[in-house]
Amino acid sequence: TPIISTRSEYLSTLNIYEGTIQGAETNTISSLYLYGKATVNMYGGTIAGGTATGNYGGNVYMSDKYDIIFNLIDGTVTGGTSNQGGNFRVAGGTVNISGGTVSEGTSTGNGGNIFLFGGATLNVTGGAIENGAALNANGGNIYIYGAGNVLLSGDATVSGATSKNGGGKNIYFQPVGEEASKLVMNGANVESSI
């Protein structure tokens, strides 16, 4: 079972200021499982070491059922492991990163740190997404499947990714039919990876 789960149709707000949400080893579900209507504001602290053996983010899973928002203002999301999206698997909603770090996520498939699909949005204006690993596929840091929006600006950094197939080690877009993906860069720094 997840450590924290939201499942209500009514808005839940989770504010994280400090402390650690430490890895849940589960069959399918992430440490922080956001299925209901929710806003998460992470001002500090750590979400670390979550393991999901199914297609869920090791640390955070965001469903497409409601418009879920995850705001990373400071703090660290790190060391998650999953088949897709080691730290985040985002099926819908928006992840806003203005500070803090998403790092060291590992996926046995695509998206070492973040796996984005279903028209979800990743808006990175600061902080760092770094050192993700897609062990058997693409997108060591960020993988976008089909419809998805990635906006990079300000002093944000995306760096240090590895992927087996060599495709888009930091950021990889996988087109699906007529679904459109979009990347907008206005500043930010996407660095070379191995």
Side-chain angles (χ1 to χ4, degrees):
T1 58
I3 294 174
I4 298 174
S5 176
T6 65
R7 293 179 175 267
S8 174
E9 63 185 272
Y10 303 104
L11 179 63
S12 300
T13 300
L14 173 62
N15 294 319
I16 303 170
Y17 294 97
E18 59 183 294
T20 300
I21 299 172
Q22 183 62 46
E25 291 188 16
T26 67
N27 288 328
T28 56
I29 305 300
S30 313
S31 296
L32 183 55
Y33 181 75
L34 305 173
Y35 184 81
K37 190 179 290 187
T39 297
V40 177
N41 299 307
M42 190 168 178
Y43 299 100
T46 303
I47 303 173
T51 301
T53 57
N55 290 329
Y56 292 84
N59 279 319
V60 180
Y61 173 76
M62 294 170 58
S63 165
D64 62 350
K65 187 167 178 65
Y66 297 102
D67 189 18
I68 299 167
I69 299 171
F70 190 107
N71 297 314
L72 178 59
I73 299 143
D74 201 356
T76 303
V77 181
T78 188
T81 303
S82 179
N83 293 346
Q84 296 180 337
N87 279 317
F88 284 87
R89 182 172 159 98
V90 186
T94 302
V95 177
N96 296 309
I97 301 174
S98 58
T101 304
V102 178
S103 67
E104 309 292 337
T106 301
S107 172
T108 55
N110 296 302
N113 272 319
I114 300 171
F115 186 103
L116 192 79
F117 66 111
T121 296
L122 174 64
N123 182 27
V124 188
T125 59
I129 301 171
E130 60 190 21
N131 302 330
L135 299 181
N136 297 306
N138 298 300
N141 275 321
I142 304 168
Y143 182 92
I144 303 94
Y145 181 80
N149 301 294
V150 177
L151 300 94
L152 303 173
S153 63
D155 61 356
T157 300
V158 182
S159 65
T162 59
S163 65
K164 178 180 179 182
N165 292 345
K169 291 184 185 293
N170 271 312
I171 303 171
Y172 185 89
F173 286 87
Q174 176 61 56
V176 177
E178 307 255 339
E179 294 181 359
S181 298
K182 181 169 70 174
L183 170 66
V184 176
M185 283 189 69
N186 184 15
N189 185 23
V190 179
E191 298 179 3
S192 177
S193 294
I194 57 174

